Amino acid sequence: MSVRRGVLMLLWLALSLLLPAGVLTDVTCPAAPLNALNFTDIPQQPAGRVTSDAGALAPLYGFVKSFLGCVQPNPFPEELLRNLLNNEGVDVIKVARYEAGYIVCALLGLLFLFLMPLVGAIFACCRCCGRCGGRAKKDREAPRCQRNAVITFLAMTTIVILAGMVLAFTANEKVTKAVDPSLRSLDSTLENLKDFTNSLPQKINIVVDQYSIPKTKIKGELDGIGRLIGDEIASQLNSSVTAALDAVSVNVEDIKSVMDSLQSIRDKRQTLQSRQPVLVTNLNERKSRLQQTLTSPACSNCQPLSLSADKLQIEADYSKISSVDSELNNMRDIAAYDLQGQIEKGKETFKNVPQMVINETSSAVQSIKAALDGIQPELDRLPFPSLSSATATITTIQLELRKQGQEVQRYDYIRWNVSIVLCCMILLIVLLNFLGLAFGIGGVWSRQDPGKPNCPSSSGANLLMASVGFSFLFSWLLILLVFVIFFVGGNVETIFCRNWKNQELFKFVDTPGNLPSNLDITNAFGIKFNTSAVYNGCKAGQSLYTVLNLDQQFNLQKFLDVSKLSAEFTVKLGLLSVDLSGVQLLSDEGRKKVQEFRDVNKINNSFNSTELNKSPVQTDLLVFAAQLEKKASEQVDPLVKNNLTDEAQKLRDLQRDVVDLQISDVAELNASLNALSFTRKDLQGHADKTLSSLDTVKSKLKTDPLAITTKLSLCFLNKALASLQQYLDWVLKMVVELLSCQSLIVSLDNVYTISCENVLNPWNAFWLSLGWCTLFLIPSIIFAVKTAKHFRAVRSSFKSIDLVSLDTRAMFGQLPRAKLYQ
């Protein structure tokens, strides 16, 4: 992010150097919010966690582990295992010292193994001699109490053996039921791990392919950047262009006004000059006729009027009015250029500025898009460690597991059958004990004479003796099986499971030199890592990218740096420029016409004003006509009278037909001159303003488009980099999530649960229960022999009963049988 800020600062610096001071300070980036891009997250298939089903046997499992802790309190045998795995030879003394607890148990087992058959043989000889389970010596109260005690102890011992046998049956069944699901679970766990390693590259490709989302968004904005720049240029220049075109419009109005005034002046001048000869002729004629009449002797007192008649001549000489034909022709030439049409053309040109910008930026936009497409190959080269060796290792382990799984199931089937047979032996002993007790107690309570043999009690004694015989017969097999499965299960628990749980096993794996190269799991992944750190990190929710220190293999954040990936894109965007210096609101010819119009200020109206201020005639014709009529009324001579009256009327007609029209035209001419004078006052200022506005627009068309393009390009770059950064942040997030080691930690925990809790716990519970039953066979034998002795007839009582029987037989033997029955 710091690099990106550096790029933006450089662009701002370049912008500040390119732009003149105070230019475009109001250009702002579009206020459209940066919408979050919607990327499709790749769901992670959660690994199925195998649960432990201890149930009611949990206390028994705890007792087994406590017992094994007493038998094997030694720490993890790191040196012994290292020598064993590396074929460096094993120190027997160290092994014996480490396995001291198991050796002691083995010695006790051997002692039991040899003593029980020996004691059984001695017992058999003793039994053949009528001892060991024979009759009690005499029937008295003490043996009865002893009999009740041994019966109670035997029953309790049998119940304890029965409980152990039930637990052994249950544990044995749990082992068998756990083997097949455990093998399937292990296979499924390995399959999940293999799927994880196989699918990871494809998932990474899916993540990389979603670069199309920001690319499409940026390209869409690129397609509109020409319109955006064009609209902004039009918006920024609109006031200046409008002012310039309005100024030209004012000039057009000025031209029209000046031309109208000049046309009016020209027309009125021609009219005045065309009437002036008529007026002069009429005045001369009237003057001549009046002089004849007024100077005739017949006209009395007419001399004063004769002087007035001499003034019948023009006062204003309209032929002296200057011609405006040259100025009018110049104005016609200016007006003929059609500046109004040029204004409309300028407006249309300015209206087309956005499209012109789009056309100018199209090639640059395509180049920028090509640079944007060039980021995709960079992302495709996302560095990622190969997991093919890990996949191959998992496949090898999986195939070996499937191969050995069948053997495991076969061996477990044999083990289950052997265990069932031995459990059935114990069940037989328990059954014989219960039957012996049942028959014996029933016989004892039903017999009347303790010295007389009783079938139920004798049968009970014989059943108990059978129980004792089977106990001696099978105890060595039981202790042998117990020790074998105890030695295997105990060592697996103390060496593997206990040290897995306290992570001593991981420390052993992490220590260099402990494992041979073919067993070093880091070789399978091609990455050196610490197993303990990986396990604890995964337990804490970290990803493989963190716990495996993959940033040392490849720096993902550095690779996904936006400035690095978008360098060419940024350079291409910097080439985006717009040149509107050739755009003209008014052509050079139009500008020339405005300049010519500016110079139309040399119309000489000072003379015109002097002549136009004069009266057309030196005397007032109406007043003079009235004087003639008055003078005519005073005359006596009718001819004089008629001549004066006729001349007075003709003077009135001349006033009406010529002089009044001249006066009217002079007034209109003066009005036109005044209008022209008023227009001329602002004419130069308007023209100067027009030229200045046109120069301003021309200057802005050279500088503003570049500045606007630079600034809006920077705005676009900021948004584009933000979109790219959003994508790259998502890529980093997804890579970390895809490298989540929850599946790995669940798989490892599943291995522990399957092997140590679901299989090994019932395995150990089985040998403990079976050993429990085997050990309790000793008190069972003792109490069974004692109890059987009390179930038989009492020895002293047996003799008296025998003599009575003989006497009775002798007595009944002397009597005839028939009489006897009668």
Side-chain angles (χ1 to χ4, degrees):
M1 294 298 291
S2 60
V3 177
R4 181 166 72 91
R5 292 192 185 97
V7 173
L8 295 178
M9 290 300 295
L10 287 175
L11 287 175
W12 273 114
L13 179 60
L15 182 62
S16 63
L17 293 176
L18 288 171
L19 295 179
V23 176
L24 296 179
T25 55
D26 56 342
V27 176
T28 57
C29 294
L34 180 62
N35 296 325
L37 299 177
N38 294 322
F39 300 106
T40 303
D41 291 343
I42 301 176
Q44 299 297 310
Q45 186 68 27
R49 186 177 290 275
V50 178
T51 57
S52 174
D53 185 19
L57 296 181
L60 182 61
Y61 295 163
F63 178 77
V64 171
K65 292 179 181 179
S66 299
F67 175 74
L68 290 176
C70 296
V71 173
Q72 181 55 284
N74 298 317
F76 183 71
E78 180 177 350
E79 183 180 357
L80 294 177
L81 280 181
R82 180 175 62 249
N83 294 336
L84 179 64
L85 293 174
N86 291 279
N87 296 322
E88 296 177 357
V90 179
D91 190 343
V92 178
I93 296 178
K94 291 183 179 179
V95 173
R97 188 179 297 117
Y98 178 76
E99 298 285 354
Y102 291 100
I103 292 175
V104 171
C105 293
L107 292 176
L108 293 176
L110 289 175
L111 184 64
F112 186 91
L113 180 66
F114 288 108
L115 286 180
M116 285 300 287
L118 180 60
V119 172
I122 296 173
F123 179 79
C125 295
C126 180
R127 189 74 190 91
C128 291
C129 296
R131 314 291 292 178
C132 302
R135 300 178 183 181
K137 292 183 178 182
K138 41 183 154 176
D139 184 19
R140 58 180 190 268
E141 193 64 25
R144 289 181 182 179
C145 294
Q146 185 179 13
R147 178 189 65 198
N148 293 336
V150 295
I151 288 174
T152 302
F153 287 137
L154 178 59
M156 293 175 61
T157 303
T158 304
I159 291 172
V160 171
I161 295 174
L162 178 62
M165 183 198 63
V166 171
L167 293 175
F169 267 116
T170 305
N172 184 55
E173 192 65 22
K174 272 187 170 291
V175 172
T176 299
K177 288 184 177 180
V179 168
D180 184 61
S182 297
L183 290 174
R184 289 198 302 269
S185 297
L186 285 175
D187 185 76
S188 176
T189 299
L190 292 173
E191 188 67 29
N192 291 335
L193 285 175
K194 188 168 68 173
D195 291 341
F196 172 75
T197 56
N198 284 335
S199 63
L200 199 55
Q202 287 79 9
K203 291 178 179 178
I204 293 295
N205 290 335
I206 293 174
V207 171
V208 171
D209 289 341
Q210 293 200 48
Y211 168 69
S212 60
I213 295 176
K215 182 174 72 173
T216 301
K217 181 177 183 292
I218 295 173
K219 282 187 175 182
E221 293 175 350
L222 266 176
D223 291 335
I225 193 170
R227 172 65 65 181
L228 178 66
I229 294 174
D231 291 343
E232 186 63 28
I233 291 174
S235 175
Q236 290 293 324
L237 297 181
N238 182 61
S239 58
S240 299
V241 170
T242 301
L245 293 177
D246 288 345
V248 176
S249 297
V250 170
N251 288 138
V252 170
E253 295 296 327
D254 288 344
I255 290 172
K256 184 177 181 301
S257 178
V258 169
M259 193 171 69
D260 290 344
S261 296
L262 289 175
Q263 182 67 42
S264 178
I265 292 171
R266 177 180 176 276
D267 292 343
K268 297 305 177 184
R269 173 180 174 276
Q270 290 178 350
T271 303
L272 289 171
Q273 289 181 350
S274 65
R275 288 199 197 100
Q276 184 166 310
V278 175
L279 179 61
V280 170
T281 301
N282 285 314
L283 287 175
N284 289 333
E285 183 179 353
R286 299 283 79 72
K287 178 179 178 181
S288 175
R289 294 285 298 274
L290 284 174
Q291 286 291 349
Q292 291 177 4
T293 302
L294 292 174
T295 58
S296 70
C299 186
S300 62
N301 295 325
C302 293
Q303 187 63 33
L305 292 177
S306 175
L307 295 175
S308 298
D310 290 338
K311 294 182 180 180
L312 290 175
Q313 58 184 1
I314 61 173
E315 182 178 0
D317 188 0
Y318 297 125
S319 62
K320 294 180 180 180
I321 299 176
S322 302
S323 175
V324 293
D325 289 346
S326 176
E327 289 81 356
L328 182 59
N329 291 333
N330 289 336
M331 294 305 300
R332 284 175 177 173
D333 290 341
I334 294 173
Y337 183 69
D338 190 15
L339 282 176
Q340 185 62 43
Q342 289 294 315
I343 293 174
E344 297 301 325
K345 186 177 179 181
K347 290 180 179 179
E348 187 66 24
T349 300
F350 184 67
K351 183 180 179 182
N352 292 331
V353 163
Q355 187 60 44
M356 295 169 61
V357 173
I358 292 173
N359 296 336
E360 274 204 46
T361 58
S362 60
S363 60
V365 167
Q366 294 304 319
S367 178
I368 296 171
K369 286 183 178 180
L372 196 62
D373 292 333
I375 297 178
Q376 182 74 50
E378 292 293 328
L379 292 173
D380 291 336
R381 291 194 291 270
L382 181 68
F384 199 77
S386 175
L387 298 178
S388 56
S389 57
T391 304
T393 302
I394 294 173
T395 302
T396 302
I397 296 174
Q398 193 176 24
L399 293 176
E400 187 65 24
L401 177 65
R402 291 173 181 175
K403 178 181 177 182
Q404 298 298 328
Q406 298 177 355
E407 293 297 319
V408 170
Q409 289 178 327
R410 187 170 69 86
Y411 289 139
D412 180 68
Y413 178 73
I414 297 173
R415 182 206 60 79
W416 182 82
N417 287 321
V418 172
S419 300
I420 289 296
V421 170
L422 292 177
C423 287
C424 288
M425 294 176 186
I426 297 176
L427 180 61
L428 177 61
I429 294 172
V430 170
L431 184 60
L432 290 174
N433 279 350
F434 279 129
L435 288 175
L437 287 172
F439 280 103
I441 293 172
V444 168
W445 284 103
S446 64
R447 69 185 180 185
Q448 297 179 355
D449 187 357
K452 184 178 179 179
N454 183 290
C455 181
S457 60
S458 297
S459 297
N462 292 332
L463 289 172
L464 291 178
M465 287 300 99
S467 168
V468 172
F470 282 119
S471 298
F472 280 119
L473 184 62
F474 298 129
S475 59
W476 67 276
L477 287 174
L478 292 172
I479 199 64
L480 183 62
L481 177 65
V482 167
F483 180 74
V484 170
I485 60 178
F486 158 69
F487 185 77
V488 173
N491 275 292
V492 172
E493 171 64 32
T494 54
I495 294 176
F496 178 75
C497 295
R498 185 170 67 188
N499 291 293
W500 177 307
K501 196 166 186 179
N502 60 26
Q503 299 187 18
E504 289 294 330
L505 191 62
F506 299 143
K507 294 178 182 177
F508 173 78
V509 172
D510 292 333
T511 304
N514 282 349
L515 294 177
S517 58
N518 61 334
L519 294 179
D520 192 350
I521 60 175
T522 60
N523 295 332
F525 290 90
I527 302 173
K528 295 297 181 182
F529 58 88
N530 185 282
T531 309
S532 300
V534 170
Y535 185 82
N536 293 326
C538 290
K539 277 284 190 183
Q542 298 177 358
S543 69
L544 286 176
Y545 182 79
T546 303
V547 298
L548 293 179
N549 297 320
L550 294 181
D551 54 342
Q552 298 178 3
Q553 305 292 325
F554 61 96
N555 193 329
L556 189 60
Q557 290 183 337
K558 183 178 180 180
F559 177 81
L560 295 177
D561 183 67
V562 67
S563 61
K564 176 182 176 183
L565 291 176
S566 61
E568 184 180 1
F569 166 74
T570 304
V571 172
K572 294 290 185 182
L573 187 62
L575 299 178
L576 189 67
S577 62
V578 175
D579 183 12
L580 297 179
S581 59
V583 176
Q584 288 185 326
L585 295 180
L586 192 64
S587 65
D588 293 338
E589 185 67 21
R591 183 182 180 87
K592 182 180 178 182
K593 295 301 180 181
V594 174
Q595 183 67 39
E596 291 177 357
F597 175 63
R598 178 180 179 277
D599 296 335
V600 181
N601 59 355
K602 300 177 181 178
I603 302 173
N604 185 9
N605 61 357
S606 60
F607 172 76
N608 295 338
S609 299
T610 302
E611 293 298 322
L612 293 176
N613 291 331
K614 296 178 181 180
S615 176
V617 182
Q618 291 183 2
T619 186
D620 190 345
L621 295 182
L622 295 178
V623 173
F624 187 55
Q627 290 176 355
L628 289 177
E629 288 178 347
K630 181 179 179 181
K631 184 58 71 174
S633 64
E634 294 175 356
Q635 298 299 319
V636 177
D637 188 347
L639 180 60
V640 173
K641 184 176 182 178
N642 289 335
N643 286 339
L644 291 176
T645 303
D646 184 54
E647 288 300 323
Q649 183 60 40
K650 287 182 178 180
L651 287 176
R652 285 191 174 92
D653 292 340
L654 182 62
Q655 178 72 30
R656 183 187 68 247
D657 295 336
V658 178
V659 176
D660 287 346
L661 293 177
Q662 291 289 77
I663 292 173
S664 175
D665 288 343
V666 167
E668 292 181 8
L669 181 58
N670 277 325
S672 297
L673 286 172
N674 291 333
L676 179 61
S677 177
F678 178 79
T679 302
R680 193 178 60 181
K681 286 191 306 181
D682 298 327
L683 185 148
Q684 185 173 355
H686 290 168
D688 289 341
K689 182 179 179 182
T690 299
L691 295 175
S692 176
S693 298
L694 290 174
D695 289 339
T696 300
V697 171
K698 185 175 181 180
S699 175
K700 287 188 175 184
L701 284 172
K702 288 182 179 180
T703 59
D704 287 12
L706 176 61
I708 292 171
T709 301
T710 303
K711 187 161 186 180
L712 291 183
S713 297
L714 182 62
C715 296
F716 172 78
L717 176 63
N718 195 10
K719 290 178 64 178
L721 292 180
S723 297
L724 285 176
Q725 188 65 54
Q726 187 177 349
Y727 166 72
L728 295 177
D729 291 342
W730 177 80
V731 170
L732 182 61
K733 168 179 167 288
M734 285 307 301
V735 168
V736 172
E737 287 185 3
L738 291 177
L739 290 175
S740 172
C741 54
Q742 288 305 306
S743 298
L744 176 62
I745 200 65
V746 169
S747 300
L748 290 175
D749 289 343
N750 286 347
V751 171
Y752 176 81
T753 302
I754 292 168
S755 58
C756 294
E757 296 185 4
N758 292 351
V759 175
L760 191 62
N761 277 349
W763 172 286
N764 289 334
F766 174 72
W767 63 252
L768 179 66
S769 301
L770 196 61
W772 173 354
C773 296
T774 303
L775 292 178
F776 272 93
L777 286 179
I778 296 176
S780 174
I781 291 172
I782 296 172
F783 292 133
V785 171
K786 292 288 186 179
T787 304
K789 180 177 180 180
H790 289 284
F791 283 166
R792 299 186 186 279
V794 179
R795 187 177 301 169
S796 58
S797 300
F798 175 78
K799 291 181 180 180
S800 62
I801 292 172
D802 194 23
L803 292 174
V804 173
S805 177
L806 290 175
D807 292 340
T808 304
R809 288 178 184 176
M811 180 182 66
F812 283 110
Q814 293 175 0
L815 296 175
R817 186 174 297 274
K819 290 182 179 180
L820 178 62
Y821 286 116
Q822 287 179 357

